[in-house]
Amino acid sequence: MTGFFKGIPAIRYEGPESENEFAFRHYDPDEMVSDKRMEDHLRFAVAYWHSFAWPGGDPFGGQTFERPWFGDTMDHARLKADAAFEMFDILGVPFFCFHDADVRPEGGSFAASLKNFEAIVDYFGQKMQTHRTRLLWGTANLFSHRRFMAGAATNPDPDVFAWSAATVKACMDATHRLGGQNYVLWGGREGYESLLNTDLARERRQAGRFLQMVVEYKHRIGFKGTILIEPKPQEPSKHQYDYDVATVYGFLKDFGLEGEVKVNIEQGHAILAGHSFEHEIALAASLGILGSIDMNRNDYQSGWDTDQFPDSVPEMARAYYEILRAGGLTTGGTNFDAKLRRQSLDPEDLILAHVGAMDVCARALKSAAALLQDGALERSRSERYAGWDQPEAQRMLRSGTLESISARVLESGLDPKPRSGRQERLENLWNRFV
Ligand code: XLS
Ligand code: NI
Ligand code: NI
């Protein structure tokens, strides 16, 4: 025991009336929500980087947090892992996620860093034998170190491409070894600051080939998890190639990967792209590439990826409605890609941030499931498109031409009658469930 979370009990479900701060009011892992246990719907994961590696800095100041595991030695890295698994147990979360750089100290060379990483992955493997938390996904940090400042796969320097490929191989090996259910690629520096020094076409081709190599390697090692791309429009780069779900889909099509790669959609990234979270989820579902979600929220005034813990049930209900409508998460989960505010110094803050967020998601899921089960929203949607179920409409779509359609319009004296879109009525319906 590290003693870091001393005095904090394991969090249990006590129901909405509980006055205990260290309890769930809505998240009851075993409660059935339509066809599945709540835990199996939500599949919560803790993000190692925000909770254990981030020191609390912002662009104007450095570290605010004091953690006994901050430091560059393997002892520090093991202490960090001990504290992490203690927190997973306290929260009862089924999953966690990590980057290589979150978990191991950087060595003086690629080989030295790899050795550190492999030792920590072994350590995780041992811990996972006695703890229940599994790996939702692993990923590579190809953005923090200065060598990646001009990109990883999209770098003008082929040596950086090579370093990145070797790093991803190591992280895929680790993910595979730990039984990870997905492997994520977020292109932190895969974009540009200025078009004046950028060969956009070349960089995009490099990114496409890199992703093909990832998929080829996945099959060679027999990794059964899902490969996920995490779209984000900007920050840290001025423009990032994986802008949003639609852009990523076009990219996957271009490189023949649409059947191989899905998306990990983050709330804050959707907002930065000028979309809603539910739009990105619904679009990915309609394209058959919905994989997993990174749960957080942005400050709507700041224009940055502020990675706050979610606090709005109505907003998250929209997201879970789309997920449930799409048939739910399969290998994916709800990863809290969220960090404390830099003044939230205490171990309790770290625990309670997750407790509150898990409760928000649980309430959102339950509301969404009730609305879906009620069926009124889906009935109204089908009614709106009922005309398209008619054989003539189907024929027009299948085999119509502008000439044949035009002839029919003239001949039949057709005269479309506008009908209400009923938006406010549907909003009223929605609000009866959240
Ligand atoms: C950053 C991303 C990052 C990914 C994993 O904005 O959200 O945290 O989820 O590299
Ligand atoms: Ni993320
Ligand atoms: Ni993010």
Side-chain angles (χ1 to χ4, degrees):
M1 290 292 282
T2 65
F4 184 71
F5 295 109
K6 204 164 114 231
I8 301 181
I11 311 295
R12 308 256 177 261
Y13 173 73
E14 292 185 6
E17 305 308 322
S18 171
E19 286 179 11
N20 176 9
E21 221 185 347
F22 292 91
F24 294 120
R25 284 161 182 69
H26 305 278
Y27 179 61
D28 179 3
D30 291 319
E31 184 181 326
M32 291 301 287
V33 177
S34 16
D35 58 327
K36 274 194 286 199
R37 291 170 63 248
M38 205 187 274
E39 181 179 73
D40 300 332
H41 274 290
L42 293 163
R43 295 166 60 83
F44 287 132
V46 165
Y48 211 93
W49 51 103
H50 287 316
S51 288
F52 304 107
W54 184 61
D58 72 8
F60 297 92
Q63 177 176 347
T64 58
F65 298 152
E66 288 172 343
R67 308 291 194 226
W69 57 81
F70 283 173
D72 291 333
T73 68
M74 284 298 285
D75 281 341
H76 286 109
R78 275 186 291 265
L79 183 65
K80 186 176 1 179
D82 293 343
F85 277 82
E86 284 168 19
M87 185 168 105
F88 304 159
D89 286 350
I90 289 172
L91 294 170
V93 282
F95 295 107
F96 73 115
C97 302
F98 67 85
H99 305 79
D100 53 346
D102 310 332
V103 303
R104 56 102 179 104
E106 181 98 16
S109 63
F110 186 88
S113 291
L114 180 62
K115 190 162 162 266
N116 290 347
F117 183 49
E118 286 175 341
I120 288 296
V121 170
D122 283 345
Y123 196 61
F124 280 171
Q126 284 164 32
K127 295 191 105 34
M128 287 167 74
Q129 288 177 7
T130 50
H131 296 258
R132 68 181 287 264
T133 303
R134 309 285 89 166
L135 181 61
L136 185 65
W137 46 263
T139 188
N141 180 327
L142 303 178
F143 44 89
S144 294
H145 194 280
R146 64 194 289 274
R147 74 174 68 85
F148 303 117
M149 68 183 188
T154 61
N155 204 290
D157 179 354
D159 287 353
V160 180
F161 182 102
W163 185 291
S164 306
T167 304
V168 166
K169 177 187 177 296
C171 291
M172 289 178 74
D173 288 342
T175 302
H176 187 35
R177 201 151 108 223
L178 295 174
Q181 307 216 352
N182 308 269
Y183 183 83
V184 165
L185 296 111
W186 170 59
R189 303 276 171 193
E190 311 293 28
Y192 61 79
E193 291 303 320
S194 170
L195 264 184
L196 296 180
N197 63 6
T198 302
D199 184 337
L200 194 146
R202 194 192 272 275
E203 293 199 1
R204 198 168 166 282
R205 275 198 307 276
Q206 287 172 213
R209 182 61 200 129
F210 192 91
L211 189 57
Q212 287 169 343
M213 288 182 196
V214 167
V215 169
E216 288 160 14
Y217 188 63
K218 163 193 158 152
H219 291 303
R220 269 201 301 280
I221 62 176
F223 176 61
K224 297 281 174 268
T226 312
I227 304 290
L228 301 172
I229 290 273
E230 185 174 322
K232 185 172 182 179
Q234 72 266 335
E235 200 237 83
S237 303
K238 171 185 162 54
H239 175 86
Q240 303 211 183
Y241 298 129
D242 300 332
Y243 198 94
D244 60 3
V245 169
T247 309
V248 168
Y249 187 70
F251 175 83
L252 294 178
K253 278 281 213 193
D254 202 6
F255 292 93
L257 296 170
E258 69 275 17
E260 293 278 3
V261 179
K262 294 186 170 168
V263 283
N264 180 38
I265 301 172
E266 178 164 321
Q267 202 276 356
H269 299 182
I271 304 305
L272 284 181
H275 301 305
S276 64
F277 194 21
E278 62 269 23
H279 164 87
E280 289 290 82
I281 294 170
L283 181 61
S286 76
L287 297 169
I289 58 167
L290 174 60
S292 196
I293 58 172
D294 268 9
M295 178 57 79
N296 54 29
R297 81 174 200 270
N298 274 9
D299 181 305
Y300 284 105
Q301 279 83 54
S302 78
W304 286 88
D305 188 18
T306 56
D307 289 336
Q308 291 166 254
F309 285 88
D311 70 344
S312 164
V313 175
E315 253 186 281
M316 293 313 129
R318 294 276 173 117
Y320 282 112
Y321 188 83
E322 296 303 332
I323 289 171
L324 291 174
R325 211 173 146 237
L329 298 168
T330 54
T331 63
T334 301
N335 170 46
F336 289 113
D337 196 349
K339 59 181 183 242
L340 294 171
R341 297 307 86 192
R342 67 198 292 268
Q343 298 179 52
S344 303
L345 303 178
D346 302 338
E348 287 82 356
D349 294 321
L350 199 48
I351 300 294
L352 294 176
H354 285 89
V355 170
M358 289 161 81
D359 265 346
V360 164
C361 293
R363 281 177 78 179
L365 175 80
K366 287 208 275 186
S367 307
L371 180 55
L372 193 61
Q373 188 153 28
D374 172 81
L377 193 62
E378 292 315 307
R379 270 197 303 283
S380 169
R381 201 194 309 259
S382 331
E383 275 165 27
R384 188 159 186 240
Y385 292 89
W388 281 104
D389 296 335
Q390 300 309 312
E392 189 160 20
Q394 284 301 310
R395 236 184 344 265
M396 167 169 76
L397 208 52
R398 243 187 356 256
S399 50
T401 61
L402 290 188
E403 299 92 309
S404 67
I405 295 171
S406 165
R408 184 167 64 85
V409 168
L410 284 168
E411 183 183 303
S412 63
L414 177 143
D415 181 18
K417 300 272 178 302
R419 283 165 46 203
S420 174
R422 299 183 172 176
Q423 182 173 332
E424 295 77 8
R425 291 167 71 176
L426 296 175
E427 285 166 354
N428 294 352
L429 171 69
W430 178 269
N431 282 323
R432 293 217 307 272
F433 287 83
V434 288

